[in-house]
């Protein structure tokens, strides 16, 4: 059964307090080489048959993400 992965992250110009909190914690734990952290959402969708990219993109941008403040990346299965 094909799996489609949808990653949703805040747009770069949108403040990410959770990412900033993780970045601060990493510094306190001694991980000095980390420059930035952005948090997001990760969805794995199983589909019957061949994935319909247009339909999946619509699902991602209307249900899984807020396109005003979030970017969507769709990962379709490759043969």
């Amino acid at each position: 059964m094909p799996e489609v992965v949808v990653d949703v992250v805040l747009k770069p110009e949108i403040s990410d307090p959770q990412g900033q909190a993780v970045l601060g914690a990493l510094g306190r734990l001694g991980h000095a080489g980390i420059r930035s952290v952005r948090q997001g959402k990760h969805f794995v969708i199983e589909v019957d048959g061949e994935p319909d990219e247009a339909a999946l993109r619509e699902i991602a941008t209307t249900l899984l993400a807020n396109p005003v403040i979030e970017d969507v990346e769709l990962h379709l299965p490759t043969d």
Side-chain angles (χ1 to χ4, degrees):
M1 187 171 296
E3 287 186 348
V4 175
V5 174
V6 180
D7 289 318
V8 178
V9 294
L10 290 169
K11 291 184 180 209
E13 60 271 17
I14 303 298
S15 176
D16 184 354
Q18 187 175 355
Q20 289 298 316
V22 171
L23 181 62
L26 288 169
R28 288 188 299 279
L29 292 171
H31 301 286
I34 308 298
R35 173 178 274 224
S36 172
V37 176
R38 303 290 290 178
Q39 68 88 29
K41 300 177 274 188
H42 179 84
F43 299 91
V44 178
I45 302 170
E46 291 184 351
V47 297
D48 290 326
E50 196 65 29
D52 180 342
E53 183 175 356
L56 288 162
R57 190 162 300 283
E58 181 180 352
I59 290 167
T61 58
T62 59
L63 178 64
L64 304 179
N66 177 347
V68 173
I69 63 169
E70 295 175 314
D71 287 328
V72 172
E73 193 170 313
L74 201 60
H75 305 278
L76 298 168
T78 57
D79 293 328

